[in-house]
DNA sequence: GATGAATGAGTTTTCATTCAT
DNA sequence: CATGAATGAAAACTCATTCAT
């Protein structure tokens, strides 16, 4: 504060950063295994830090959820960005959907935590919803413009379907089931398929 | 069947019946609002009975879930039965799906019931799941046999897709979104639509 | 509720009453010894009840303070009533003041707790202030009417002086000190003593 | 005294001095509001310094108390010294008492200082108590020697009475009340007033 | 049968104090 | 020196479950 006036927040201490990471990593594991009600003490133990340290970084359970959640969302969003280079727009979409399932598969109980954040914390919900729909929207728009996919389904719809299907992840075989469903769904999206229904 | 004197289950006392109903009603409210981990004390309080009374009627949390949600699930099952008389198998399927959405929109607690069916491992889940998938399975089988619908999707899958789509039913416009998604999904189910994927 | 409609609150269970008393008694001891920050766990232990029981009876620390406090105040108030039969009004006053010191002497740290409640809980403060000033006021009025005591001091003033003097009760010998001070004070109250000041 | 090179206490760094002041100021505020058990973190936060800095300046809570309150107490002591020149010993006493009330009314924290003097067992309390009682004792001794005031009251008693009366200084009108009480008290101190008690 | 009191294990939460940067 | 992160002991608090009335 004395010598370098341009410093507003002293360099984050090395061990603090490391501990923060540890806690986040541990939280992912523990919440995945034990659901959103898992004990924070357990998270701290898993992270190898004191419970006080956990609380310093994340004063409330929700703060911890949020921090974990944000990076998850960002990873999904980044994946969507990468898939923009995939030649077939429909396949890009399909692959993003399938990848997301894989992603969720590695963090079972995490979905519940994410769902909680989605409904409870509107600021975060808005952030991630916007982030994700923007990414998916881009994939979707490409497919629609290419004339491969019907235009009456929104990124929002897509997200709803995906999250919802993944939410039910407690039975054995849920993953295969969701992959099957996604195929059905993507097939349904493709144009040139029968509009035979009561129209 | 109840009139024989050697019966072990005496006349159910009037207030006992009333209390049972109260608890059931309260449980639906409280679980809907606070999730399945909501405090049983809260349920009793909401019902206006003592916690001991709740425990007498429902010795375990599972027992309470069961009593609350079994009848909800059975209604859906019955609806599926009725639709067997619908001439077009695909339309029967579609109508069941759409009707279920209406149900969810109307009956608070239906989602929770369905989520439990797909999620938990209780006796209730097993019973209800079996009941329900059997009914839906019949609808599905008809459509498959008629050659109208692909054969690689199970009643279980169908249920999962439906529940999932309905899961986020707190955003405005969720109902329209789900109906759109169901149409896409049913379209995807119909045979003769492109198997272009991964080829 | 069924047979005796005039019952609004079922007879308080015997053990509940006993436990409540135990906790109150223990609280008096523990707060007296350890001051107002003493652990509630310690109170429960001293009372021989579970911590949950303590919380059931007194959901917050303040509730417990309050309950303890009320009876203390009532005891002091009753003492003032009894002293109405004392022939000399001034002596009645003096004896009440001295008795109060004895009273406080048995519950050292309790004063701090009571002070906290007095400032924090205005409802209670009003109640006890009213209660006490009414009692003291009666003693005082008798003495004033008898022409033994000056009329420009209120029950409120008296209470302030008494409570204040007792507040500083951490030094050895405080009790003797306060008793000396009370004598000086009562002497000052008597009429016919010099009004010599700045006149 | 500071200029010799072998000095162990180097020039006090400018920011160190500033921080010390900040902490002192913050401590007065925080202890006044939250009592003597207020969190030291809160003090540091209020001061805008790190908790470590607070600890460097004041290794123990007592050290902080001391630094905060010592100068307050010394002011009262000095006032008593000045009043030694007042011709009437009783009036000197009375004026000191009344002045102290003014002090309390004006200077937030003075009460806390005085309470500590009479209550705690720290080195600070001993020092301040000695300092103060010596000054008041001189005033008192003069009055006793002049035969104007009874001899069985100590400087300590006087202090206790004064502090006590001021203790409840949050009610409206407390100041008038205390001034009234002090007059009663001083009247009680004067000799030649009735020793009628317990006779 | 109904009630609500009792219990205590399990969690959350706070803070004084120490230490690495 | 200043800082604030780390730590863990200690307390607060909640709630499922059992039981006396």
């Amino acid at each position: 504060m004395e010598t370098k006036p341009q410093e507003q927040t002293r360099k984050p201490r090395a061990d603090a950063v490391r501990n923060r990471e540890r806690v986040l990593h541990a939280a992912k594991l523990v919440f995945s295994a034990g659901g959103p009600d898992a004990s924070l003490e357990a998270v701290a133990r898993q992270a190898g830090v004191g419970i006080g340290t956990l609380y310093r970084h994340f004063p409330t359970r929700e703060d911890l959820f949020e921090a974990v959640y944000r990076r998850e969302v960002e990873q999904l969003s980044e994946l969507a960005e990468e898939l923009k280079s995939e030649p077939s727009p429909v396949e890009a979409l399909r692959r993003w959907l399938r990848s997301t399932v894989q992603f969720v598969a590695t963090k079972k109980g995490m979905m519940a935590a994410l769902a909680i954040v989605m409904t409870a914390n509107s600021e975060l919900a808005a952030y991630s919803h916007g982030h994700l729909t923007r990414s998916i929207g881009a994939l979707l728009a490409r497919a629609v413009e290419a004339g491969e996919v019907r235009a009456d389904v929104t990124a929002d719809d897509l997200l709803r379907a995906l999250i919802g299907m993944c939410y039910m992840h407690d039975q054995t075989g849920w993953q295969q089931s969701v992959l099957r469903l996604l195929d059905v769904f993507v097939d349904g999206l493709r144009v040139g398929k029968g509009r035979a229904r009561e129209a």
Side-chain angles (χ1 to χ4, degrees), chain A:
Chain A
M1 206 195 268
E2 273 69 36
T3 48
K4 300 194 193 95
Q6 76 281 19
E7 280 190 336
Q8 65 285 61
T9 47
R10 276 175 180 282
K11 60 159 193 233
R13 239 169 64 177
D15 58 341
V17 174
R18 196 186 58 243
N19 278 336
R20 193 169 200 282
E21 285 310 310
R22 279 185 183 174
V23 170
L24 282 174
H25 187 243
K28 203 150 54 179
L29 290 180
V30 172
F31 288 141
S32 291
D37 292 329
S39 136
L40 295 185
E41 200 95 38
V43 173
R45 208 177 312 125
Q46 168 76 29
V49 305
I51 182 66
T53 301
L54 186 152
Y55 268 88
R56 162 169 287 271
H57 288 291
F58 309 102
T60 72
R61 180 180 285 271
E62 276 64 38
D63 290 333
L64 182 51
F65 281 164
E66 175 167 338
V68 172
Y69 181 70
R70 259 185 222 280
R71 27 170 85 189
E72 307 290 308
V73 165
E74 279 157 11
Q75 284 181 43
L76 290 182
S77 189
E78 282 160 21
L79 177 61
E81 291 299 322
E82 290 166 18
L83 287 171
K84 280 184 181 170
S85 53
E86 158 77 38
S88 159
V90 177
E91 280 317 300
L93 204 51
R94 192 193 305 270
R95 283 182 54 194
W96 183 79
L97 292 169
R98 297 178 71 95
S99 300
T100 303
V101 177
Q102 302 298 336
F103 190 81
V104 169
T106 64
K107 35 204 111 202
K108 314 195 64 167
M110 182 55 71
M111 271 318 284
L114 302 190
I116 285 174
V117 177
M118 274 304 260
T119 54
N121 179 332
S122 58
E123 193 272 310
L124 173 61
Y127 166 82
S128 39
H129 187 262
H131 220 260
L132 279 178
T133 48
R134 240 179 334 271
S135 301
I136 306 169
L139 285 180
L140 191 60
R142 258 184 84 216
V144 170
E145 279 159 24
E148 295 186 20
V149 151
R150 53 200 282 178
D152 63 344
V153 165
T154 67
D156 218 88
D157 294 342
L158 220 56
L159 194 54
R160 169 190 310 278
L162 178 63
I163 292 178
M165 285 176 193
C166 289
Y167 185 66
M168 318 268 103
H169 50 227
D170 281 17
Q171 291 175 338
T172 57
W174 73 269
Q175 218 177 324
Q176 291 314 310
S177 173
V178 173
L179 293 177
R180 269 196 303 279
L181 290 170
L182 286 178
D183 275 342
V184 171
F185 194 76
V186 174
D187 284 352
L189 280 176
R190 309 188 65 149
V191 297
K193 310 304 152 51
R195 276 285 62 69
R197 165 174 67 91
E198 68 245 276

